[in-house]
Amino acid sequence: MAVSNNITACLNFLALICTIPVVATGLWFASKQGAECARLARWPVAILGGLLLLVALAGFIGAYWNRQGLLAAYLFAMAALITLLLALLVFAFAVTHGSGAYDVPGRAYREYRLEGFSGWMRGYVAGDPRRWEGIRACLAASDTCKKLTMETAFFIAPEQFYQSDLSPLQSGCCKPPTACGYAYVSPTAWASPATPAADADCGAWSNDPRQLCYWCDSCKAGMLGTLRDQWRRANVALVAATVALLVVYVIGCSAFKNAQTEDLFRRYKWSNNT
């Protein structure tokens, strides 16, 4: 019986370790989105990871000190939390399916369209004018476009800027769409659009550092591109942690049942001997 309890305790300890990447991913996800001015699912992953950590700790304690009631509660709670984690992953993959990014001839960076993203993501960022106003104000106060302004000296010729590696936000918010035909002056200053009717965002561009393209649909699409990239990176760690948790949980259930069987056999043998 002591051997079975130790095996179950070790498995629950492995489950405890497997929850750490979920917590770390949630904290990273929250901090990155806070820096980028959006709060899409800012804390749910961290909270879910914290609950998994607490439940796994309870399972380890229950197995180590042979608390059958605590172990039973652990198995039920862990199954519910793993189910929630799986549901979150399915949702994340569904809403981040489309990228909205497209290549521009002669440019190393990519540009973004709202239509390429899922309806749920578009509705979250662009569907509520008040929410976008908050995001826009945050972007204007951040260093997202200020970094490009400070790097002007590195772009002596327009071609050097065209071959630079811009983030989705910099591509969508800090410059006008390429289709407008603006002439390059600096990374955040452009002049004389050749085809001002080519895109609805052409008229929304302003050389005012407080305005730039923050009201453009391309900026909203750039924000969605940033959120999608973050979700995709987070999903890699979450999938690995979920698979490991499922394997350890299934083995843990089997070990728990074996421990219960041995306990019943020991009691039966003891009662016969007496």
Side-chain angles (χ1 to χ4, degrees):
M1 186 64 188
V3 173
S4 295
N5 284 342
N6 288 336
I7 293 173
T8 307
C10 289
L11 289 169
N12 286 319
F13 182 72
L14 288 176
L16 186 65
I17 298 227
C18 291
T19 63
I20 294 176
V22 182
V23 177
T25 300
L27 293 176
W28 172 84
F29 204 27
S31 65
K32 289 295 288 184
Q33 290 184 334
E36 301 292 1
C37 306
R39 296 185 177 182
L40 176 61
R42 186 174 183 179
W43 289 110
V45 176
I47 293 172
L48 183 57
L51 290 174
L52 283 166
L53 188 65
L54 291 175
V55 170
L57 181 60
F60 172 73
I61 293 172
Y64 191 79
W65 278 282
N66 193 24
R67 299 291 187 268
Q68 298 296 318
L70 188 59
L71 270 175
Y74 151 77
L75 291 173
F76 176 79
M78 185 59 82
L81 290 175
I82 290 176
T83 302
L84 284 176
L85 185 57
L86 285 170
L88 179 63
L89 280 171
V90 171
F91 173 77
F93 276 109
V95 300
T96 59
H97 178 67
S99 70
Y102 63 95
D103 295 321
V104 181
R107 305 291 190 269
Y109 51 78
R110 308 181 82 187
E111 295 187 351
Y112 298 81
R113 293 191 183 96
L114 278 175
E115 293 75 15
F117 295 96
S118 68
W120 187 90
M121 289 191 74
R122 290 201 310 270
Y124 181 85
V125 170
D128 187 344
R130 289 179 298 178
R131 181 180 293 121
W132 179 251
E133 169 59 28
I135 296 173
R136 185 206 65 79
C138 178
L139 286 172
S142 72
D143 60 355
T144 300
C145 295
K146 292 177 183 177
K147 286 181 179 178
L148 285 180
T149 303
M150 292 186 291
E151 294 173 357
T152 300
F154 296 101
F155 305 119
I156 299 174
E159 288 72 21
Q160 290 176 301
F161 177 76
Y162 298 152
Q163 297 306 310
S164 61
D165 183 21
L166 301 183
S167 70
L169 279 175
Q170 289 174 329
S171 176
C173 305
C174 307
K175 64 170 191 58
T178 301
C180 300
Y182 275 86
Y184 175 85
V185 177
S186 75
T188 56
W190 300 71
S192 305
T195 52
D199 193 293
D201 288 341
C202 297
W205 168 260
S206 171
N207 285 330
D208 184 345
R210 297 168 297 179
Q211 299 295 324
L212 299 180
C213 218
Y214 293 133
W215 287 109
C216 298
D217 283 347
S218 65
C219 188
K220 298 174 184 177
M223 173 58 74
L224 290 177
T226 299
L227 295 176
R228 179 184 181 275
D229 289 346
Q230 291 174 4
W231 264 110
R232 288 286 175 165
R233 288 196 293 270
N235 283 346
V236 174
L238 291 177
V239 167
T242 303
V243 170
L245 274 173
L246 281 170
V247 172
V248 172
Y249 180 77
V250 169
I251 298 173
C253 286
S254 177
F256 176 66
K257 288 180 181 179
N258 289 339
Q260 283 186 316
T261 302
E262 288 186 18
D263 187 37
L264 288 173
F265 179 75
R266 181 180 58 84
R267 292 178 181 177
Y268 173 77
K269 190 173 181 180
W270 181 82
S271 63
N272 286 341
N273 290 336
T274 56

